[in-house]
Amino acid sequence: MARRDLSDHFADLIRNFGPIPLAQYMAEANAHYYSARDPLGAAGDFITAPEISQMFGEMIGGWLADTRARAVAAGLPDASAAAYVELGPGRGTLARDALRVLGMTGGVPRVHLVEGSPALRGAQGDLLAGAQFHDDVSTLPEDRPLLVVANEFFDALPIRQLVRTADGWREMTVALADDRFVPAPGDKPMDAAVPAHLRDSAEGTVVETCPAASAIMRELSERVARQGGAILAIDYGHLAPRTGSTFQAVARHERADPFAAPGTADLTAHVDFAALGEAGQAGGLTVTGMSGQGAFLMALGIGQRAGALARANPSLAGDVLEALKRLVDPDQMGDLFKVIALRSPAWPEGAGFAAAETA
């Protein structure tokens, strides 16, 4: 479906049936966006942490290797045969770097990638020979523990927004105004859907939820609770619940209008890590910890790794240190991006969360 066709599709829906929920708009626009392109890299729309430096994937691989080793040492069944699972694995760069570390510390696990984009599956297959692809988490293996990684996966799932108006709480929809898509409160009362402690919030307050993220985390957690293993999720967002709209679009490495040209930009929202933790606990897992990305990576030893790379490649030392800064500095990715780790109650606690954060 071409861009104009997607715009026409939304316009026809709205003209015939009225404004559509923001969640529907975001889901359909992103489904088209990811099915039609490889959005990563300098020639794309954005760059993720694994593309910035090999150090990121190596730290994730180190965390997974340490988690697996602790489980093996504890005598847990099939811990050594745990599968590597990644949700939304981009070009496969993170998996490649993480698996290199895993291969040096107990063997390369079987690789399972949850990916719906044909374009990205092609890139992943070229980089990760033998990887098995899945459309969703329901078909992941059931005969072994799972070591699950989700980097910048949950932020692209469709959100639901509720806004406090003069007439009470309403769901945010997408309407038409002079043939332009615009956000507009719906006409159905939604007060019952708002947490009780927020119902008296000031007019204009926006509450965001992501039912899809909670559902996926719950389903995954139930599997990991039964089979053993752990989940590590990294994304931009907040550790404690908060209000306000975070719905945004990125195209060509710049902020864009999320209501213009649907299907041509990456639509995202900040991830509520507290909600992910609650979904994981409801599925039977234990939250190991939550932290900012910078603190987590530094706890895993990325500073020492950067120093070793810089010494081994003096001509590239500046690039290595610049990549380190981008990944861990508070004014870059270090604070904006957060990390949550969850584990089967039978599995030992992993590394990286000595100083929990609440920002």
Side-chain angles (χ1 to χ4, degrees), residues 268-283:
T268 65
H270 286 206
V271 175
D272 182 345
F273 279 79
L276 287 184
E278 290 171 2
Q281 290 173 317

Side-chain angles (χ1 to χ4, degrees), residues 139-269:
T139 59
L140 291 172
E142 300 181 1
D143 62 344
R144 64 192 61 234
L146 305 177
L147 295 172
V148 183
V149 177
N151 180 61
E152 293 199 49
F153 169 78
F154 289 106
D155 64 280
L157 297 179
I159 59 164
R160 183 189 197 191
Q161 282 189 347
L162 301 175
V163 57
R164 177 70 188 270
T165 73
D167 299 317
W169 289 93
R170 300 290 186 267
E171 182 169 9
M172 189 63 76
T173 67
V174 178
L176 276 174
D178 298 325
D179 293 325
R180 293 182 299 106
F181 298 113
V182 295
D187 57 6
K188 295 181 180 178
M190 299 297 294
D191 298 68
V194 178
H197 70 282
L198 292 174
R199 287 178 191 165
D200 292 331
S201 299
E203 186 176 335
T205 300
V206 174
V207 174
E208 290 182 344
T209 62
C210 188
S214 294
I216 292 171
M217 179 60 84
R218 173 70 182 264
E219 183 176 358
L220 264 178
S221 297
E222 290 173 349
R223 295 285 297 275
V224 172
R226 290 198 304 269
Q227 298 170 218
I231 300 173
L232 186 70
I234 310 103
D235 228 309
Y236 55 89
H238 42 272
L239 300 183
R242 60 180 61 177
T243 59
S245 175
T246 66
F247 183 54
Q248 63 183 8
V250 173
R252 302 292 183 184
H253 304 275
E254 300 286 345
R255 289 287 185 92
D257 181 353
F259 299 102
T264 66
D266 181 37
L267 302 182
T268 65

Side-chain angles (χ1 to χ4, degrees), residues 33-53 56 86-96 115 117 119-124 127-128 151-153 155-156 235-236 250-253 264-266 268 326 333 337:
Y33 174 78
Y34 280 100
S35 69
R37 76 201 69 218
D38 175 354
L40 296 164
D45 291 321
F46 55 88
I47 296 176
T48 59
E51 306 291 335
I52 292 172
S53 171
F56 182 83
E86 189 171 346
L87 312 183
R91 291 175 172 168
T93 307
L94 189 160
R96 178 198 64 193
E115 178 60 70
S117 165
L120 290 174
R121 277 193 180 192
Q124 294 155 12
L127 204 60
L128 304 166
N151 180 61
E152 293 199 49
F153 169 78
D155 64 280
D235 228 309
Y236 55 89
V250 173
R252 302 292 183 184
H253 304 275
T264 66
D266 181 37
T268 65
R326 188 167 177 185
M333 298 178 73
F337 281 72

